[in-house]
């Protein structure tokens, strides 16, 4: 189990690095667009479109690492008033509920991406980017997030004894 946990942690970190890369690409593209418009009165014509794609990828690739480092926003009105053992049980129950929502979201994003691929949908902008390429970040990011939640549940059960 330890080896699998390390693998999931490494995958989460890879997702975080990808998230950071897309965030840097997003900022760089916006700076380039500002520079080109200000000094040369021209545009990349894709900055608005691709900044949205980069933002989406940054969010989804960062989900697993954010969860595994306990960085998501938590509302702990109930859990702050109970024992550590009860808190762990509440966390496991919440993680199981989260897992069911994530599996549904994964299923729907896989269908969305597959439909975009099979119907050969492209963006309506100048770039005519195949939309499935931009949507791939959603199921990949959700899959990594699911792995992180499963690892969290197993850690909760192993610490419960």
């Amino acid at each position: 189990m330890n080896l699998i946990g390390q693998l999931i942690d490494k995958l989460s970190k890879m997702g975080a690095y990808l998230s950071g890369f897309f965030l840097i690409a997003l900022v760089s593209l916006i700076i380039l667009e500002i520079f080109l418009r200000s000094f040369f009165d021209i545009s990349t014509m894709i900055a608005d479109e691709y900044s949205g794609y980069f933002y989406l990828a940054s969010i989804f690739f960062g989900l697993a690492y954010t969860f595994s480092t306990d960085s998501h926003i938590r509302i702990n009105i109930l859990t702050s008033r109970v024992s550590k053992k009860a808190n762990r049980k509440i966390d496991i129950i919440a993680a199981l509920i989260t897992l069911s929502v994530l599996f549904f979201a994964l299923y729907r994003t896989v269908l969305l991406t597959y439909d975009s691929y099979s119907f050969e949908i492209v963006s309506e902008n100048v770039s005519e980017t195949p939309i499935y390429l931009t949507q791939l970040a959603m199921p990949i990011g959700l899959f990594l997030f699911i792995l992180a939640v499963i690892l969290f549940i197993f850690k909760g059960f192993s610490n419960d004894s």
Side-chain angles (χ1 to χ4, degrees), residues 66-80 82 84 86-95 98 152:
T66 306
F67 180 79
S68 62
T69 57
D70 205 23
S71 300
H72 281 281
I73 296 173
R74 294 181 58 142
I75 300 172
N76 56 3
I77 294 171
L78 178 63
T79 57
S80 65
V82 296
K84 211 169 198 169
N87 193 356
R88 210 171 16 245
K89 288 181 182 178
I90 291 170
D91 279 346
I92 290 172
I93 291 168
T98 300
F152 175 82

Side-chain angles (χ1 to χ4, degrees), residues 122-158:
V122 296
S123 71
E124 295 178 4
N125 295 319
V126 177
S127 70
E128 294 186 353
T129 305
I131 293 297
Y132 79 92
L133 292 174
T134 64
Q135 293 172 338
L136 278 173
M138 293 187 296
I140 293 169
L142 287 172
F143 179 73
L144 293 174
F145 194 6
I146 287 170
L147 291 177
V149 172
I150 290 171
L151 180 62
F152 175 82
I153 293 169
F154 279 116
K155 283 181 180 176
F157 279 126
S158 65

Side-chain angles (χ1 to χ4, degrees), residues 14-113:
M14 281 179 33
Y17 287 128
L18 275 172
S19 176
F21 168 78
F22 280 109
L23 214 55
I24 290 169
L26 166 73
V27 170
S28 300
L29 184 59
I30 290 172
I31 290 172
L32 175 66
E33 182 72 15
I34 292 169
F35 178 78
L36 289 175
R37 283 187 183 196
S38 298
F39 294 108
F40 300 105
D41 201 27
I42 59 172
S43 174
T44 61
M45 305 294 282
I46 62 163
D48 188 41
E49 175 187 5
Y50 273 78
S51 62
Y53 299 152
F54 292 163
Y55 184 66
L56 173 112
S58 178
I59 296 296
F60 276 89
F61 285 135
L63 288 172
Y65 183 76
T66 306
F67 180 79
S68 62
T69 57
D70 205 23
S71 300
H72 281 281
I73 296 173
R74 294 181 58 142
I75 300 172
N76 56 3
I77 294 171
L78 178 63
T79 57
S80 65
R81 300 169 194 242
V82 296
S83 70
K84 211 169 198 169
K85 188 174 183 177
N87 193 356
R88 210 171 16 245
K89 288 181 182 178
I90 291 170
D91 279 346
I92 290 172
I93 291 168
L96 289 169
I97 294 168
T98 300
L99 205 56
S100 64
V101 171
L102 288 175
F103 272 116
F104 176 75
L106 176 66
Y107 171 71
R108 296 304 301 177
T109 57
V110 166
L111 287 181
L112 175 71
T113 306

